[in-house]
Structure formats: structure tokens, C-alpha cells
Amino acid sequence: MEQAQPLRYLFCGHGMTSNNEVPLLRFHGLDTLRAVAILVVMLYHLNMYSLLPAVLNPIASVGWVGVDLFFVLSGFLIGSQLLKPYLNGEVPSLKEFYARRAYRILPAYLAVLFLYLTVPSWREAPGLYAPWQYFTFTWNLFLLHYPEAHAFSHVWSLCVEEHFYLILPLLLLVFMRSPAVWKTVVLVLSIVLGGIALRAWVLYHVVLNPGVPDEMHGLLMMKFIYYPTYTRVDGLAIGVGLAILRTFRPSWWSRIARHGNLLLLCGVAAVVVALRLCNFDYPSPDLPASILFAFPALAVGFGLMVASAVCDGSILKRRVPGAAPLAVLAYSLYLTHKSVAHVTHRMLPVLTAQADWRSVCIYFVACLCAATLLYFAVERPFLRLRSRRSAKQKSAAVGSEVRLDPAI
């Protein structure tokens, strides 16, 4: 999940500068959206321990949508980064892209996975799947048991993102050989409509098959619809579509950007519609519309919010105190929050026994401390290593150009 500097800085897309480079700007709105996403996800998982005051329950019950917001953000940010070289007539380096993703994702992930594999008390649930499913990011594709009965089940969304990182650069290499607006529209619509059709087929031929007992419907929905990558790419597709529009149609984007607050209102409305389809709860086979249409509605709604976040004049673009640090820590929080909640609950049973604000504060302080430790001990050192590596490569490239210059 992209964060830190790439989250807070993104090329503008309003047109090219004199040296054919797109200027970098900081967008506080993206920090805000990412902070909101991780907070609602944490509230949703905290429900496992019944530690929430009643006033937070409505938010926690729909906190699962934070993952869909992460998907749209990732599609927009990663898509923007991959498209940037094309503005200069270049092709992005697959080797460099995958190396940067590895530096960004693997160190913290492997550190947390090591704890899951070697420290049973760290696990928020009794067992683990086979280690190879975690190392290969195929956990969400080969579910053998009910996922929530096993630890580190939230890794499914990271698996989806890893598959996205793997496929998108290859897809863009083919697509950019002959780019066209109509191709972009057709591609995004095909992905979204194809996702609806695929979920419909699985829902009615697998999940709700007449021979399946009623008590199995929820399990099969999670296994074959909610977690697999091939049924959850709506948000990623919308995010990439926004990145394409903003990168290659700056005049169109500038007209859209004049209505940042309207985009935000429309985005909120679309998210409310999606939640209404779910009866303001979790997607359920008993509500087929929640399976078929909630995910694309969320993708469109969050896509409008992301667009608003980078529009001048939008209230979402204003800086929100505390959002930037939460955005920076979001990946570490995502990896550790369920386990930290579990450990905190076991170590402080008396202090966390009541569903009150004290329990919530203890939980969040513990999660922030653990995430901060992971960030400074693992994440940031490897991000700095990645930056030094990139600087050396750029320096070597400049040196090579100088040596090959026939004027010297």
C-alpha cells in the first residue's frame, strides 16, 4: 500500500512545464483519505473484542469499506507513477518499478510475518495457513478453511495489491502502444461490468446453489467473492482510470477540478448508496445487490473523493491535523493492528474489559506505538535505502551520458 512520500507528493497533471516534467505538489487530501481508511478499518476489527462505545458502532459496522478506499488510492497513485514516464516519451522500467515495490512492501511485511510464524501469542486467531501462501501472496486465492478462523486474515487485501502491482505495468506496456480515450473507457467499463457479471455467476452458481446449506453461504461468499483478486478490482480500475485522465487529459481535468466540493458531495452520496445496498452492514448473500453492486458503487464514490482531494478549492484538500502522520504509519498500522489489539486485550484484561472510551484509547495508543516502532525500525530504513539506490542509478546514468557525449 503506497504511502509516505509517494502518497504526499504526486505530479500535478495540469500540463507540462518547460522541461517536459510535471511539477510535484503535496496533496493533504490524500493524507486525509488514507488516515480515514486506516481508522475505520481499525474500528471494524476492534469490534472483535467488543471494546467500542455504542456511538462508534455504526462506523465500525461499515469499517470494512476502508479497504475499498485503499484500493482506489493505490490505483490512482501507482497508476500515476507508472504513467509519468510516458509524458517524456519514455517507457517505465519494469525492473525499477518492481524493485521499488519490493523495498516498499516486503521488509515490514516479512518482519510481521516472522512474528506470526514464530510467536503463537502474537496471533489474533488460533492458526495459520501454509507459510507458502503468505510468502507468495496467494493467501486469498487458495482458501481451504473459513478465513476469519485463522490469523493474519487481513493479508488478503495486500495480496490483491501485490497482484495489481504485478499486472498493471505489463498491461500498460501493451495499452500504451496505441493509447486512445475510447480504449481507456472500454477497459475500465469492461473491468467493472465484468466484475459484476463474475460475482453474479459465482453468487448464483456457487454460493446460493440449491444444494448448499444455508450456514455455508457466508463462508462461500468470503472464499469465492469477497477475498479473491479477480472479484475485487473495481476500486483499482477506477483509480487507474482517474490517473490516466489526469495525466493525459489535463484540459479535461482542469474543468473537472473546478468542482472539487461537488465531486466530494457526489462521492459521499455514492458511498451512502453502496452502504444502503448492504443495509449499512457487511455484504451478505441474503442481499444479492450488496454483492453485485456495492463494490463498484464504493469504487465510484471513493474515486470521486480522491479526485476531490487533488482539486484546488476543495475542502478535502485542506490540511487536517494528525492526518499526515497517520498516513505515513498506515501500512504499519494495517500489518499490526489486529495482533496488537489481541495482545493488548490479553495483557490488560481489566482495563480493556469495558466497551468504553478508555478501552478505545488504550487500544489506539498501543497500535500507534507498535506501528511507530515498525516504521522507524524497518520501513523507513528500507525507504531510505531505496532512495539512495535510486540516486546512485540516476548519477550513474548522468555519468554515462557524459562519457558518451561526442563533444567531450
Side-chain angles (χ1 to χ4, degrees):
M1 295 185 180
E2 192 67 12
Q3 63 181 39
Q5 294 286 42
L7 173 68
R8 294 154 64 179
Y9 295 87
L10 189 67
F11 53 87
C12 175
H14 291 298
M16 289 186 241
T17 59
S18 58
N19 61 351
N20 290 331
E21 292 182 358
V22 186
L24 293 175
L25 292 178
R26 175 166 177 176
F27 293 111
H28 299 295
L30 297 180
D31 286 344
T32 300
L33 290 177
R34 190 170 186 84
V36 169
I38 191 60
L39 285 175
V40 297
V41 167
M42 291 169 67
L43 285 174
Y44 175 76
H45 288 140
L46 185 57
N47 261 342
M48 294 187 303
Y49 306 101
S50 301
L51 299 181
L52 296 180
V55 68
L56 293 179
N57 285 330
I59 300 174
S61 64
V62 297
W64 56 272
V65 304
V67 174
D68 294 83
L69 177 51
F70 279 131
F71 286 159
V72 177
L73 283 166
S74 289
F76 182 57
L77 293 167
I78 298 301
S80 297
Q81 292 173 13
L82 284 169
L83 292 169
K84 182 181 178 181
Y86 289 106
L87 292 174
N88 299 322
E90 303 172 354
V91 177
S93 168
L94 294 183
K95 179 181 178 181
E96 179 63 17
F97 174 78
Y98 291 136
R100 288 182 63 82
R101 292 293 86 211
Y103 274 103
R104 180 70 195 88
I105 299 297
L106 292 182
Y109 172 71
L110 293 177
V112 173
L113 181 58
F114 176 79
L115 292 176
Y116 271 106
L117 294 175
T118 60
V119 184
S121 60
W122 174 260
R123 304 168 190 165
E124 73 277 6
L128 289 170
Y129 276 73
W132 65 267
Q133 291 178 265
Y134 298 94
F135 284 112
T136 60
F137 294 100
T138 55
W139 185 96
N140 66 327
L141 300 178
F142 301 104
L143 296 175
L144 303 177
H145 311 286
Y146 188 54
E148 296 301 333
H150 287 69
F152 212 3
S153 62
H154 54 295
V155 76
W156 75 270
S157 57
L158 184 58
C159 294
V160 172
E161 297 231 10
E162 287 299 302
H163 303 158
F164 168 68
Y165 299 152
L166 179 65
I167 295 172
L168 180 64
L170 304 176
L171 184 63
L172 286 179
L173 285 178
V174 175
F175 179 81
M176 291 302 298
R177 290 180 179 178
S178 180
V181 173
W182 69 267
K183 290 183 180 180
T184 302
V185 174
V186 169
L187 179 61
V188 173
L189 285 178
S190 297
I191 292 174
V192 173
L193 297 178
I196 295 173
L198 179 57
R199 287 192 295 272
W201 189 92
V202 175
L203 179 63
Y204 291 109
H205 289 80
V206 178
V207 178
L208 298 180
N209 190 295
V212 176
D214 292 347
E215 61 270 18
M216 293 290 292
H217 290 168
L219 185 157
L220 293 175
M221 187 277 290
M222 300 296 291
K223 180 176 180 178
F224 292 109
I225 295 179
Y226 191 82
Y227 286 138
T229 301
Y230 46 81
T231 54
R232 295 303 312 275
V233 293
D234 308 75
L236 294 165
I238 293 296
V240 174
L242 280 175
I244 293 174
L245 174 64
R246 195 164 187 273
T247 303
F248 296 116
R249 289 294 181 269
S251 60
W252 295 7
W253 184 270
S254 64
R255 288 195 288 269
I256 295 172
R258 299 169 190 164
H259 310 286
N261 290 325
L262 179 60
L263 291 174
L264 176 59
L265 289 175
C266 292
V268 171
V271 171
V272 171
V273 169
L275 294 176
R276 182 65 185 87
L277 293 173
C278 302
N279 200 22
F280 293 93
D281 206 328
Y282 207 71
S284 169
D286 297 330
L287 298 170
S290 69
I291 305 296
L292 302 182
F293 305 114
F295 300 127
L298 286 172
V300 171
F302 288 137
L304 292 171
M305 291 184 188
V306 168
S308 174
V310 294
C311 289
D312 293 331
S314 170
I315 61 173
L316 191 57
K317 196 179 179 183
R318 297 175 184 174
R319 182 176 182 178
V320 176
L326 276 176
V328 170
L329 293 176
Y331 182 48
S332 289
L333 282 168
Y334 156 81
L335 289 173
T336 60
H337 71 279
K338 287 177 71 174
S339 292
V340 172
H342 164 70
V343 173
T344 303
H345 191 57
R346 290 188 59 183
M347 294 181 62
L348 303 172
V350 176
L351 295 179
T352 59
Q354 300 297 322
D356 54 21
W357 287 103
R358 182 182 65 178
S359 297
V360 174
C361 292
I362 292 173
Y363 165 76
F364 274 102
V365 168
C367 287
L368 287 173
C369 289
T372 301
L373 177 61
L374 179 63
Y375 176 76
F376 282 102
V378 181
E379 271 197 77
R380 194 169 75 161
F382 277 92
L383 289 175
R384 288 183 170 180
L385 183 62
R386 184 181 73 173
S387 297
R388 288 197 294 269
R389 174 180 175 275
S390 296
K392 288 182 180 179
Q393 288 183 335
K394 290 180 181 179
S395 177
V398 171
S400 176
E401 291 176 2
V402 170
R403 288 192 296 272
L404 293 176
D405 190 341
I408 296 179

